[in-house]
Amino acid sequence: PSNHLLHKNNYIHEIENFVKEIEKIIKNVDNISFIHSFYWLSGLVATLFSEKYQIPFIHTTVSLSKQKELAGCPPAIKHQFDYENIFLHKAKYILAITEEEERILIEYYKIEAEKIIVEGQNIASDYHYPIYDSYGIPQSFIQSNAPLKPIGFDELNISKGTWWNYGAFTYVGRITQNKGVDIIIKAWVELDKRFNGAIPPLWLVGNTPYEIDKFRAKLDVPLDIINEYEKTKRIVWWGYLTPAAISTIYLKTSVLVTHSAFEGGGRVILEALCQGIPVISTNTGFGKDYIKNWMNGFIINYGDIETLIFRMSHFVLNPILAYPIFIGILFLLFRFTFDWVGGPLQDLSTTLIENYIITPVDGLLANSAPWFKSLIVDGILGSLGGTLPFFPLIFVLFLGISLFEDSG
């Protein structure tokens, strides 16, 4: 069936040389344990050699046609779904990148769950252990045996604030339209207008200057506006960067913004999450599996520019409303501590101590010496009765402060 489809769609000529080269490799190798294929075309070739030489093959799914179709991006290759249905059932094991791929393989391709292994994607160590820490100090200094870190550094005010890490809207990946980069730029420009320029810059990582220049020429935003943003470093094209460089960029990033029409995986999402960077993503790939609204980012629909602008605005300090909101939250925290929760708990603890501790003990010591009764009831229990009721207030206050701080 695969040969019939390949001849029918004129793909047979595209893989003939591919097959010949692999034949040479197989003949020069004494023992081959298994074949590993990627993408649908390699899967078909792996099927041919697996049947010819009786060698099992493992296939890694990348951009399944059904996954593209469900995301509203029909595959460019005609009959790709038919090809996949031929070789996926013949593979010994199938390595899926995301849990969503596993679900699609089972539901639409009718693959047995036992054959599927969700492997995820490896993340470079640079994202687990960036070359700079959150203070901007090179990790090589910190890991050194020499006492290069200043004494008492952790006690400085910088360790209690986040001003050092305030940063840009960042995009990492291929600079193409199907990655939604044009939509991200358009959303950022509109957001900048609404906030009169008081927003973080937009940093774009990926591609060569030649490729970026071609992309810029096709943007909906006029080039003179883009040029002005570039001159003032409000929009920065970083080009290709190493993982170490990107992890350093993340040190100055507020949020990673991605907007792919379709994504089989989306490694950049995992890389950002490794460094604690929130992500705005479309509902595809790792974004669908791992991004939870208000927890580690936001999920939006592809092409929904108004929602994208709205979600990006969460990372902008409003020049007019910021301080009134801050004062309002402090007022709510005060009411929460002294009126709504802490105050009633304080009254309750005072009543419990008075009725169930001081009064019974006072009755038990009615016939004891006055000085001893006064020592126990007025001194020890009285001091406890005056101190313990403050614990609910302190607990509620610190709870509110912690929630306030962690929520940003």
Side-chain angles (χ1 to χ4, degrees), residues 49-198:
F49 285 116
S50 176
E51 293 175 346
K52 181 176 181 179
Y53 294 99
Q54 296 300 299
I55 302 172
F57 80 96
I58 299 171
H59 183 77
T60 294
T61 58
V62 181
S63 301
L64 288 167
S65 62
K66 180 55 69 173
Q67 192 175 10
K68 287 183 177 179
E69 184 181 315
L70 292 172
C73 300
I77 306 301
K78 191 177 181 181
H79 296 299
Q80 182 180 335
F81 181 75
D82 299 319
Y83 296 133
E84 291 168 341
N85 261 315
I86 291 169
F87 67 80
L88 287 175
H89 288 275
K90 296 183 179 181
K92 177 76 172 177
Y93 292 106
I94 299 172
L95 304 181
I97 297 175
T98 66
E99 295 171 3
E100 174 67 5
E101 278 188 340
E102 179 186 32
R103 185 188 70 80
I104 290 173
L105 285 168
I106 295 172
E107 183 175 345
Y108 294 96
Y109 294 87
K110 308 305 178 185
I111 303 296
E112 302 89 345
E114 294 74 20
K115 286 180 59 171
I116 304 171
I117 301 172
V118 181
E119 61 170 347
Q121 286 189 328
N122 290 327
I123 302 301
S125 60
D126 303 87
Y127 301 103
H128 294 283
Y129 310 101
I131 60 174
Y132 294 95
D133 70 1
S134 59
Y135 302 122
I137 296 179
Q139 294 285 10
S140 57
F141 287 2
I142 297 171
Q143 294 168 1
S144 170
N145 292 326
L148 293 173
K149 195 171 181 179
I151 295 175
F153 190 81
D154 287 328
E155 285 71 43
L156 294 177
N157 287 335
I158 187 174
S159 65
K160 300 175 184 177
T162 56
W163 66 269
W164 171 254
N165 292 319
Y166 286 158
F169 293 110
T170 300
Y171 168 83
V172 178
R174 287 185 285 124
I175 308 294
T176 60
Q177 282 191 323
N178 66 353
K179 293 291 184 180
V181 182
D182 55 331
I183 298 174
I184 293 172
I185 293 174
K186 190 174 181 180
W188 183 88
V189 169
E190 179 59 31
L191 186 68
D192 188 66
K193 292 177 182 176
R194 296 182 187 182
F195 283 85
N196 296 317

Side-chain angles (χ1 to χ4, degrees), residues 14 23 64 72 111 117 135 138 146 183 190 199 207 211 219 238 255 272 274 346 382 386:
E14 298 181 20
E23 283 275 16
L64 288 167
I111 303 296
I117 301 172
Y135 302 122
I183 298 174
E190 179 59 31
I199 70 170
N207 285 47
E211 293 166 329
L219 289 172
W238 289 91
V255 58
C274 273
Q346 183 186 34

Side-chain angles (χ1 to χ4, degrees), residues 219-232:
L219 289 172
D220 291 338
V221 181
L223 268 180
D224 58 335
I225 294 178
I226 296 296
N227 285 332
E228 190 61 32
Y229 282 129
E230 292 167 343
K231 288 177 184 178
T232 56

Side-chain angles (χ1 to χ4, degrees), residues 183 259-260 281-283 299-305 307-308:
I183 298 174
H259 200 72
S260 295
S281 170
T282 49
N283 197 27
I299 291 292
I300 62 175
N301 294 323
Y302 175 77
D304 188 350
I305 191 167
T307 302
L308 178 59

Side-chain angles (χ1 to χ4, degrees), residues 208-394:
T208 64
Y210 171 74
E211 293 166 329
I212 293 170
D213 191 52
K214 289 179 63 178
F215 176 79
R216 286 169 72 255
K218 299 177 181 178
L219 289 172
D220 291 338
V221 181
L223 268 180
D224 58 335
I225 294 178
I226 296 296
N227 285 332
E228 190 61 32
Y229 282 129
E230 292 167 343
K231 288 177 184 178
T232 56
K233 306 299 182 185
R234 304 291 314 290
I235 292 180
V236 180
W237 306 89
W238 289 91
Y240 284 118
L241 294 178
T242 64
I246 296 173
S247 73
T248 306
I249 290 288
Y250 283 154
L251 184 63
K252 294 293 188 180
T253 292
S254 292
V255 58
L256 176 72
V257 185
T258 68
H259 200 72
S260 295
F262 167 78
E263 197 68 67
R267 189 195 304 264
V268 296
I269 292 175
L270 302 184
E271 292 167 349
L273 292 177
C274 273
Q275 288 192 230
I277 304 299
V279 179
I280 299 175
S281 170
T282 49
N283 197 27
T284 181
F286 288 123
K288 186 179 183 70
D289 285 348
Y290 297 116
I291 302 302
K292 307 297 179 187
N293 286 339
W294 294 105
M295 293 181 63
N296 56 3
F298 297 98
I299 291 292
I300 62 175
N301 294 323
Y302 175 77
D304 188 350
I305 191 167
E306 279 302 320
T307 302
L308 178 59
I309 293 170
F310 176 65
R311 292 309 189 192
M312 291 172 70
S313 72
H314 297 331
F315 300 88
V316 178
L317 182 67
N318 191 298
I320 299 175
L321 298 177
Y323 293 106
I325 290 173
F326 176 72
I327 294 172
I329 291 175
L330 288 181
F331 176 72
L332 292 176
L333 181 59
F334 175 84
R335 295 295 302 274
F336 178 75
T337 302
F338 294 99
D339 294 338
W340 298 336
V341 178
L345 286 177
Q346 183 186 34
D347 294 339
L348 177 63
S349 61
T350 301
T351 302
L352 291 175
I353 292 171
E354 181 69 31
N355 294 339
Y356 294 98
I357 298 178
I358 295 179
T359 299
V361 171
D362 185 59
L364 290 173
L365 299 178
N367 298 322
S368 63
W371 67 268
F372 181 73
K373 177 182 177 182
S374 179
L375 173 65
I376 300 299
V377 176
D378 299 329
I380 297 175
L381 295 182
S383 62
L384 287 176
T387 304
L388 291 179
F390 283 99
F391 278 90
L393 288 176
I394 296 170

